[in-house]
mmCIF file of all heavy atoms in Angstrom:
data_model
loop_
_atom_site.group_PDB
_atom_site.id
_atom_site.type_symbol
_atom_site.label_atom_id
_atom_site.label_comp_id
_atom_site.label_asym_id
_atom_site.label_seq_id
_atom_site.Cartn_x
_atom_site.Cartn_y
_atom_site.Cartn_z
ATOM 1 N N CYS A 25 239.778 -72.943 286.079
ATOM 2 C CA CYS A 25 239.749 -72.709 284.638
ATOM 3 C C CYS A 25 238.746 -73.667 284.007
ATOM 4 O O CYS A 25 238.692 -74.848 284.361
ATOM 5 C CB CYS A 25 241.133 -72.935 284.040
ATOM 6 S SG CYS A 25 241.209 -72.631 282.253
ATOM 7 N N GLY A 26 237.920 -73.157 283.095
ATOM 8 C CA GLY A 26 236.968 -74.002 282.396
ATOM 9 C C GLY A 26 235.570 -73.897 282.971
ATOM 10 O O GLY A 26 235.178 -72.883 283.530
ATOM 11 N N VAL A 27 234.811 -75.000 282.841
ATOM 12 C CA VAL A 27 233.412 -75.031 283.264
ATOM 13 C C VAL A 27 233.292 -75.939 284.484
ATOM 14 O O VAL A 27 233.861 -77.027 284.511
ATOM 15 C CB VAL A 27 232.499 -75.553 282.137
ATOM 16 C CG1 VAL A 27 231.050 -75.624 282.609
ATOM 17 C CG2 VAL A 27 232.618 -74.662 280.905
ATOM 18 N N ALA A 28 232.538 -75.467 285.471
ATOM 19 C CA ALA A 28 232.256 -76.286 286.660
ATOM 20 C C ALA A 28 230.747 -76.369 286.836
ATOM 21 O O ALA A 28 230.067 -75.332 286.879
ATOM 22 C CB ALA A 28 232.903 -75.682 287.904
ATOM 23 N N ALA A 29 230.217 -77.593 286.909
ATOM 24 C CA ALA A 29 228.782 -77.800 287.108
ATOM 25 C C ALA A 29 228.555 -78.330 288.513
ATOM 26 O O ALA A 29 229.221 -79.282 288.943
ATOM 27 C CB ALA A 29 228.244 -78.784 286.067
ATOM 28 N N PHE A 30 227.607 -77.716 289.212
ATOM 29 C CA PHE A 30 227.325 -78.094 290.599
ATOM 30 C C PHE A 30 225.929 -78.691 290.667
ATOM 31 O O PHE A 30 224.942 -77.998 290.396
ATOM 32 C CB PHE A 30 227.436 -76.875 291.520
ATOM 33 C CG PHE A 30 228.798 -76.249 291.501
ATOM 34 C CD1 PHE A 30 229.104 -75.260 290.576
ATOM 35 C CD2 PHE A 30 229.783 -76.669 292.386
ATOM 36 C CE1 PHE A 30 230.363 -74.692 290.542
ATOM 37 C CE2 PHE A 30 231.042 -76.105 292.362
ATOM 38 C CZ PHE A 30 231.345 -75.115 291.436
ATOM 39 N N PRO A 31 225.809 -79.961 291.024
ATOM 40 C CA PRO A 31 224.498 -80.606 291.093
ATOM 41 C C PRO A 31 223.752 -80.200 292.363
ATOM 42 O O PRO A 31 224.314 -79.590 293.277
ATOM 43 C CB PRO A 31 224.841 -82.097 291.128
ATOM 44 C CG PRO A 31 226.180 -82.133 291.808
ATOM 45 C CD PRO A 31 226.901 -80.888 291.367
ATOM 46 N N VAL A 32 222.478 -80.568 292.420
ATOM 47 C CA VAL A 32 221.674 -80.334 293.619
ATOM 48 C C VAL A 32 222.162 -81.257 294.732
ATOM 49 O O VAL A 32 222.315 -82.463 294.535
ATOM 50 C CB VAL A 32 220.178 -80.594 293.329
ATOM 51 C CG1 VAL A 32 219.376 -80.569 294.621
ATOM 52 C CG2 VAL A 32 219.646 -79.555 292.355
ATOM 53 N N GLU A 33 222.427 -80.683 295.901
ATOM 54 C CA GLU A 33 222.726 -81.468 297.103
ATOM 55 C C GLU A 33 221.598 -81.207 298.086
ATOM 56 O O GLU A 33 221.538 -80.137 298.687
ATOM 57 C CB GLU A 33 224.073 -81.063 297.698
ATOM 58 C CG GLU A 33 225.252 -81.382 296.788
ATOM 59 C CD GLU A 33 226.581 -81.342 297.530
ATOM 60 O OE1 GLU A 33 226.597 -81.626 298.737
ATOM 61 O OE2 GLU A 33 227.587 -81.034 296.885
ATOM 62 N N PRO A 34 220.658 -82.151 298.250
ATOM 63 C CA PRO A 34 219.466 -81.895 299.075
ATOM 64 C C PRO A 34 219.812 -81.350 300.458
ATOM 65 O O PRO A 34 220.684 -81.873 301.152
ATOM 66 C CB PRO A 34 218.807 -83.277 299.173
ATOM 67 C CG PRO A 34 219.257 -83.982 297.938
ATOM 68 C CD PRO A 34 220.660 -83.513 297.691
ATOM 69 N N GLY A 35 219.133 -80.273 300.829
ATOM 70 C CA GLY A 35 219.335 -79.679 302.136
ATOM 71 C C GLY A 35 220.524 -78.751 302.238
ATOM 72 O O GLY A 35 220.808 -78.230 303.312
ATOM 73 N N SER A 36 221.232 -78.540 301.126
ATOM 74 C CA SER A 36 222.448 -77.731 301.169
ATOM 75 C C SER A 36 222.428 -76.648 300.110
ATOM 76 O O SER A 36 221.804 -76.804 299.057
ATOM 77 C CB SER A 36 223.696 -78.609 300.963
ATOM 78 O OG SER A 36 223.785 -79.591 301.957
ATOM 79 N N GLY A 37 223.111 -75.564 300.409
ATOM 80 C CA GLY A 37 223.337 -74.507 299.437
ATOM 81 C C GLY A 37 224.811 -74.455 299.070
ATOM 82 O O GLY A 37 225.604 -75.318 299.471
#
Side-chain angles (χ1 to χ4, degrees):
C25 181
V27 178
F30 300 89
V32 171
E33 295 196 30
S36 300

